Amino acid sequence: MDQVGLAESVVGRAGELAMIRALLDRATRNGEALVVFGEAGVGKTTLLDAAAAIGAENGTHVLRASGVEFEADVSYFSLNQLLLPLHALFEELGDTHRTALRVALGFGEGPAPGRLVLSNATLALLRRASARGSLLVVIDDLPWIDRASAGVLGFVARRLNGTRIGFLAAARTGVGSFFERTGLPEHELRSLDDDAARSLLDGKYPMLAPGVRERLLSEAQGNPLALVELPAALSDPERAALRSLPALLPLSRRLLALFASRVEELPAPTRRLMLLAALDGTGDLRVLEAEDARHQGLERLQAAETAHLAHVDPRTRQLAFRHPLIRTAVVELSTSHQRRRAHAALAELWSDEPDRRAWHLAEAAVGPDAEVARLLDDAAQRVLLRGDAVSAVAAWTRAAELSTSAPDRARRLAQAAYVGAEEAGELGNAAILLADARRADPLVGGSLHAAAAAVFLLINGDGDVNTAHRLLVGAIETGEHNYDASNDALIEALHNLMLVCWFGSRAELWEPFYAAYARLDPGPPDILSVMSKTWPDPVRTAAAGRAEFDVLAATIEDESDPTRIMRFGTASVYADRLGDAREGAWRLVKQGREGGPARRHLGSLQHLCLDDFLTGRWDEGEQLADEGLAVCEAHGYRFFAWYFLYQKAILAAVRGEHGASLALADRMTRWATPRGVRSALLFAEHARTLSALGRGDYEEAYQRASFLSPAGTLASHIPHALWVALDMVEATTRTGRQREAAAHVEAMIEADVASISPRMALLVAGCAGIAAADRSANEHFDRALSTPGADHWPFELARVRLAYGECLRRSRAASESRRYLTAAEETFQRLGARPWAARARNELRASGPTKPRADEYDRDELTPQEREIALLAAEGLTSKQIAQRLFISPRTVSTHLYRLFPKLGVSSRAGLRDALASLPAEPEHEVK
């Protein structure tokens, strides 16, 4: 890499590079010095290299020297490095200075020069060199500069006034030096911020699995050397998340060398204390009592504090390492015997905390130990209930290693595989664990956890739903569980069977589920019971499960188990209670963004997307759909991508982006057909139905809606048929199928669909109004619009208002119709539902002349200034910034934005870019 490229390649140091450029600029006029200090590996040498590159770029002559730890006792070793390139200039100095330099640096013989004489000689030489052009002196690793050189360099650094010399040196925090820094300008080089750390890591290792990336970022804490070296110490399977990462990441030789000498210099009792603290990892001060009384522990800690390795944090009152890598180095520098002894001591210390005790006993064990394996197995169950799936997988894997029988080993590996695939987001590792389980005991393949893990791996590969269904049903029906409702493996298998049946969307697939569900003794757990009523066939069972749902909803706010939170969201979908699940869903999304389980991240994104569509948060819904697709790709959960394609497809349909919507629906269909994922096919038809309605092709809309459920029926175990009920009734009436429309309304009334939720009550009454062939239509519409909370579903409410307005206009109540048409048109405009907004405007025009509103304006064209404001807003500029750019007031900008949003059919700035891209090119005009 060339000099310029070197400076430009430094990640996350824009501020420091600007500071160095300014320093060099000032130094060329009047000399200047700066000492940069920071923790080991923070990038001091890289910054010095960049400074040298910047200097060379500007024509500055750069002189460099570095301290070497094992040469620190060799007098003038570093000064020799620095001045050797100037050897030819020695002859231009006076005799005294020339002789002092030649003798001190080993080029001549004679009595040793005095420190002051040599210091002045060095300064004179540098001044002589700088007279020919600016000079930059760069000194790295000040702590290992030999004493004699340090004294001379300190003298020079303080006497640069009036020269053209820049002096830049680097020192490590907490390490003593012979170089006297007092009085010199200093700058602390801190760790990289989160964005820069991620950029550096991704640049060096772009193919890291997401979970591995987050772990490395957490361990490195912005230390650039750690970010580069930690991944290098991992194996390929570990970097790809095909194998779990160890509790303490291995250090490369280079990283270990940063801390080895400082750790090894500690007294033996302090090293033992540090090892206990490192293996405990909690910072609990009771660790000081593991082997000795507390006051002795604190005394032993003093040496580590003096060496800047560890300390007691005054805020948290916890024992903390200065950097996570110090903790790792302490462990790596210990022997296996020392580690086992420390774990045994910690197990005794935490005898009243079973989970911690089990882990330490496991790490202290030399070989298989059935009792310790059992304790760790129990700990894994408890950890999973707290929502830590990754730790649970690690515990079961270690318990398997300690198992004394092949069946126990296989069972624990199968359980780890299932949790890894279903909850922790470790599909690659799960496949390895499942293969290990089958090798340990070939009969494990029929176990519930093994079958569930195999199903997850199957559907995320190229497997089909029917095969997955057979695997689960076979494991459930042949398992030795006696349908005991307290058997966690059985309940998990039933949850997964419910999911697979829903994917298949055929009534016959559900028969084995209901048979097993009915045999549960003493009865199903709460979340399984509620889901079984609200999700598979809500038309027939959701109303009956409403009381149960309310009880469950009252407990979910404080729920910490991610699995229960996500399953509650699933139970909420067709009960129209996703609003109750939003808070928990957002918690899981935020955890996922911070490196938490991908599967829970995806499930919660799905629920938020569905709720966003129904409640009019369309821009947010599209953003979350894009996030979901990215998570699916990054973590290998490609099976679930169709959920997010569906979200984007229905949004494109209602916005009038029909080509994009149909392309997404076709993509879903191509993927789902060979895999038997009929639910994806049905969802794709929903998108096609909406697109057809938006285009005014009511015949196609009728055919598409009929694919989900024929007119006059509410198909068994096709819950999404409820979501196209309004579409079906509208399409049947528009195509002259009045009998089918009436039959569909009658089917909804007979099934008491309105009792499921206020949304269903709105839709049933709205459909009845559309289908009515007599004056009773008004009564139905009025009942629909008086539904409590109807405004929570803005798009569907606006559609009912539009239908009511159309009905009134046809019955010659034009004046009254405008009230509903206007309200509908305003909602469609706000949402960005362009086809429906256009339809409402056409109806308003057909209703006759109206009194112009004060804010009436042309919705079809943007003025030149509106277009310019829209373009700037789409680029991310604030109203204040736009106002400054265009020399107008921020209030004027806000007024223009308020008017142009409806013109473009968007409700916020987030939709401006796409809306502008769809406009015709602006005609050329002269700017006056």
Side-chain angles (χ1 to χ4, degrees):
M1 181 180 296
D2 61 24
Q3 297 288 333
V4 178
L6 176 62
E8 291 178 344
S9 68
V10 179
V11 176
R13 299 299 189 196
E16 281 81 4
L17 291 175
M19 175 189 68
I20 286 172
R21 291 182 191 276
L23 180 147
L24 293 178
D25 181 60
R26 293 192 300 271
T28 60
R29 298 190 296 274
N30 194 33
E32 190 165 334
L34 177 68
V35 177
V36 176
F37 67 96
E39 296 287 348
V42 79
K44 300 182 294 297
T45 298
T46 300
L47 190 62
L48 295 188
D49 290 342
I54 293 170
E57 175 190 356
N58 296 332
T60 297
H61 187 193
V62 180
L63 298 175
R64 299 196 65 166
S66 297
V68 179
E69 186 173 2
F70 302 108
E71 302 285 357
D73 294 329
V74 180
S75 294
Y76 300 121
F77 173 81
S78 299
L79 195 62
N80 186 296
Q81 287 185 67
L82 185 71
L83 301 182
L84 184 60
L86 302 180
H87 182 253
L89 293 181
F90 284 13
E91 299 304 320
E92 298 183 15
L93 301 176
D95 290 344
T96 301
H97 287 165
R98 182 175 62 251
T99 300
L101 286 170
R102 289 178 62 81
V103 171
L105 302 183
F107 301 131
E109 296 181 355
R115 177 69 59 81
L116 183 58
V117 173
L118 181 60
S119 296
N120 277 308
T122 301
L123 182 59
L125 178 66
L126 294 174
R127 283 177 176 271
R128 175 77 61 172
S130 68
R132 302 183 178 188
S134 57
L135 193 66
L136 174 62
V137 174
V138 178
I139 310 294
D140 201 0
D141 287 327
L142 279 180
W144 292 291
I145 296 291
D146 62 275
R147 182 190 295 270
S149 296
V152 174
L153 293 172
F155 177 92
V156 169
R158 287 170 174 79
R159 290 164 175 81
L160 299 178
N161 191 38
T163 74
R164 301 178 65 195
I165 303 171
F167 183 98
L168 187 63
R172 183 180 298 183
T173 302
V175 180
S177 168
F178 296 123
F179 183 91
E180 181 55 55
R181 290 160 45 186
T182 305
L184 290 175
E186 294 185 342
H187 174 77
E188 182 180 3
L189 189 62
R190 299 182 180 275
S191 299
L192 298 175
D193 63 29
D194 291 343
D195 290 340
R198 190 176 296 275
S199 177
L200 176 58
L201 185 61
D202 289 347
K204 294 289 185 180
Y205 298 94
M207 301 306 291
L208 286 173
V212 177
R213 179 187 296 106
E214 296 305 319
R215 172 75 183 281
L216 291 170
L217 289 168
S218 175
E219 292 282 340
Q221 290 195 345
N223 185 289
L225 184 61
L227 289 165
V228 172
E229 293 286 325
L230 281 174
L234 299 177
S235 66
D236 288 340
E238 286 171 334
R239 285 194 289 267
L242 297 177
R243 185 173 295 124
S244 295
L245 296 178
L248 290 172
L249 297 178
L251 299 183
S252 66
R253 289 184 180 180
R254 192 177 176 193
L255 282 176
L256 189 60
L258 287 179
F259 308 107
S261 61
R262 294 163 68 188
V263 172
E264 290 172 337
E265 290 170 359
L266 296 174
T270 303
R271 287 189 66 176
R272 287 198 295 272
L273 175 62
M274 294 278 282
L275 181 60
L276 286 167
L279 293 176
D280 175 69
T282 66
D284 197 312
L285 290 180
R286 285 176 289 175
V287 168
L288 300 175
E289 303 172 1
E291 291 186 333
D292 301 287
R294 178 176 288 243
H295 71 278
Q296 291 177 313
L298 287 172
E299 288 176 3
R300 292 176 175 179
L301 182 62
Q302 287 181 0
E305 290 181 311
T306 302
H308 291 271
L309 295 173
H311 68 291
V312 175
D313 190 312
R315 294 179 300 101
T316 63
R317 302 303 301 164
Q318 288 187 323
L319 182 59
F321 289 92
R322 293 287 181 181
H323 194 280
L325 298 184
I326 298 174
R327 176 185 173 217
T328 305
V330 167
V331 175
E332 289 210 10
L333 290 169
S334 65
T335 66
S336 59
H337 172 72
Q338 290 170 333
R339 290 194 292 273
R340 283 197 299 272
R341 178 182 171 184
H343 277 298
L346 290 168
E348 184 177 349
L349 179 67
W350 305 123
S351 58
D352 60 338
E353 299 189 27
D355 293 354
R356 294 170 76 176
R357 177 173 178 265
W359 262 114
H360 288 301
L361 286 174
E363 294 305 307
V366 178
D369 187 316
E371 176 60 16
V372 175
R374 183 188 65 78
L375 293 173
L376 200 55
D377 194 330
D378 293 342
Q381 299 281 0
R382 291 189 293 269
V383 168
L384 185 63
L385 288 176
R386 294 197 294 269
D388 190 351
V390 174
S391 293
V393 170
W396 270 309
T397 303
R398 179 61 177 147
E401 294 171 355
L402 295 172
S403 300
T404 55
S405 71
D408 282 343
R409 173 178 168 80
R411 174 179 58 80
R412 286 162 178 154
L413 286 171
Q415 194 156 7
Y418 168 65
V419 173
E422 209 278 333
E423 297 191 40
E426 298 180 348
L427 291 176
N429 191 42
I432 294 172
L433 290 171
L434 186 58
D436 289 345
R438 287 168 172 160
R439 279 193 292 271
D441 181 6
L443 298 179
V444 77
S447 76
L448 291 171
H449 278 131
V455 162
F456 241 88
L457 296 171
L458 179 71
I459 64 173
N460 277 288
D462 292 323
D464 63 279
V465 167
N466 289 336
T467 302
H469 185 267
R470 285 196 299 272
L471 274 174
L472 275 175
V473 170
I476 292 169
E477 293 181 346
T478 60
E480 297 178 359
H481 43 67
N482 296 318
Y483 292 94
D484 180 359
S486 65
N487 187 309
D488 291 337
L490 174 61
I491 299 304
E492 284 299 307
L494 286 172
H495 273 291
N496 282 285
L497 181 56
M498 196 182 335
L499 191 66
V500 168
C501 291
W502 185 83
F503 289 150
S505 289
R506 303 198 313 274
E508 63 271 21
L509 294 177
W510 288 94
E511 294 173 6
F513 168 80
Y514 288 125
Y517 177 88
R519 296 181 64 181
L520 287 175
D521 185 21
D526 57 353
I527 194 75
L528 181 65
S529 178
V530 170
M531 282 185 68
S532 71
K533 296 178 178 67
T534 64
W535 198 45
D537 196 18
V539 168
R540 293 157 186 85
T541 58
R546 190 164 55 196
E548 266 189 88
F549 186 98
D550 289 341
V551 172
L552 184 62
T555 69
I556 209 67
E557 183 176 349
D558 299 322
E559 181 60 64
S560 60
D561 182 354
T563 302
R564 284 179 63 83
I565 292 172
M566 193 180 79
R567 286 175 177 165
F568 173 77
T570 303
S572 305
V573 173
Y574 294 113
D576 291 322
R577 298 285 293 273
L578 279 166
D580 295 334
R582 283 189 73 88
E583 183 178 343
W586 272 117
R587 289 207 305 271
L588 297 188
V589 167
K590 290 172 184 175
Q591 289 174 16
R593 289 172 177 174
E594 295 168 359
R599 177 67 184 95
R600 299 297 172 250
H601 186 183
L602 287 172
S604 298
L605 284 173
Q606 293 161 10
H607 298 151
L608 289 169
C609 281
L610 291 173
D611 191 50
D612 282 346
F613 178 74
L614 296 177
T615 57
R617 300 179 178 95
W618 289 0
D619 288 341
E620 177 186 273
E622 185 164 36
Q623 292 166 7
L624 294 181
D626 288 334
E627 180 178 346
L629 289 170
V631 173
C632 286
E633 184 63 29
H635 291 269
Y637 281 98
R638 296 179 181 86
F639 177 89
F640 298 101
W642 69 267
Y643 284 107
F644 304 108
L645 296 176
Y646 163 72
Q647 176 74 9
K648 290 175 72 67
I650 56 176
L651 283 173
V654 294
R655 288 168 168 165
E657 299 162 1
H658 302 299
S661 178
L662 296 176
L664 289 164
D666 289 345
R667 183 176 166 188
M668 291 170 63
T669 299
R670 287 193 301 270
W671 175 86
T673 300
R675 293 169 174 82
V677 187
R678 191 163 181 262
S679 56
L681 300 178
L682 297 172
F683 277 48
E685 290 301 327
H686 181 204
R688 293 186 180 105
T689 301
L690 287 173
S691 177
L693 288 173
R695 288 180 279 113
D697 189 341
Y698 298 104
E699 179 61 33
E700 182 180 350
Y702 169 77
Q703 298 298 335
R704 298 297 185 182
S706 298
F707 188 84
L708 280 86
S709 185
T713 65
L714 296 171
S716 174
H717 292 84
I718 306 294
H720 221 59
L722 290 173
W723 287 35
V724 297
L726 181 59
D727 307 329
M728 170 60 81
V729 172
E730 185 176 357
T732 51
T733 56
R734 290 277 183 166
T735 56
R737 295 179 171 93
Q738 292 299 138
R739 183 179 302 175
E740 286 91 335
H744 210 70
V745 172
E746 183 60 32
M748 287 191 285
I749 293 173
E750 186 176 338
D752 196 16
V753 168
S755 66
I756 294 176
S757 69
R759 174 177 169 241
M760 287 297 115
L762 166 68
L763 294 182
V764 171
C767 287
I770 294 172
D774 52 31
R775 294 182 179 180
S776 66
N778 291 10
E779 180 183 338
H780 294 305
F781 281 126
D782 287 336
R783 187 170 69 254
L785 298 181
S786 65
T787 302
D791 57 352
H792 191 65
W793 325 103
F795 180 56
E796 288 160 326
L797 175 61
R799 289 181 64 182
V800 172
R801 282 173 171 161
L802 173 59
Y804 195 3
E806 290 171 333
C807 176
L808 289 169
R809 187 186 65 77
R810 288 194 300 271
S811 62
R812 304 183 184 281
S815 178
E816 188 179 357
S817 74
R818 286 193 284 272
R819 168 188 169 192
Y820 299 103
L821 294 173
T822 299
E825 192 261 353
E826 289 176 348
T827 299
F828 292 139
Q829 282 288 353
R830 176 173 57 82
L831 292 174
R834 298 187 193 94
W836 279 266
R839 186 169 136 193
R841 285 197 299 274
N842 290 336
E843 287 290 331
L844 277 168
R845 282 194 288 267
S847 68
T850 59
K851 182 180 179 180
R853 298 197 307 266
D855 63 344
E856 194 68 36
Y857 51 85
D858 181 8
R859 297 175 181 267
D860 298 323
E861 292 184 7
L862 297 181
T863 67
Q865 188 169 61
E866 284 175 342
R867 183 183 287 264
E868 190 167 10
I869 288 172
L871 288 169
L872 293 173
E875 292 173 5
L877 273 67
T878 65
S879 294
K880 184 176 180 180
Q881 291 169 328
I882 296 171
Q884 292 171 343
R885 181 79 64 88
L886 300 181
F887 302 99
I888 57 179
S889 72
R891 178 175 293 183
T892 300
V893 174
S894 298
T895 300
H896 279 301
L897 287 172
Y898 175 79
R899 290 179 174 177
L900 67 84
F901 280 177
K903 290 187 179 185
L904 294 173
V906 300
S907 56
S908 71
R909 294 180 182 227
L912 283 175
R913 187 178 298 275
D914 290 340
L916 289 168
S918 65
L919 292 179
E922 185 178 15
E924 295 184 3
H925 59 278
E926 181 182 354
V927 178
K928 298 183 179 179

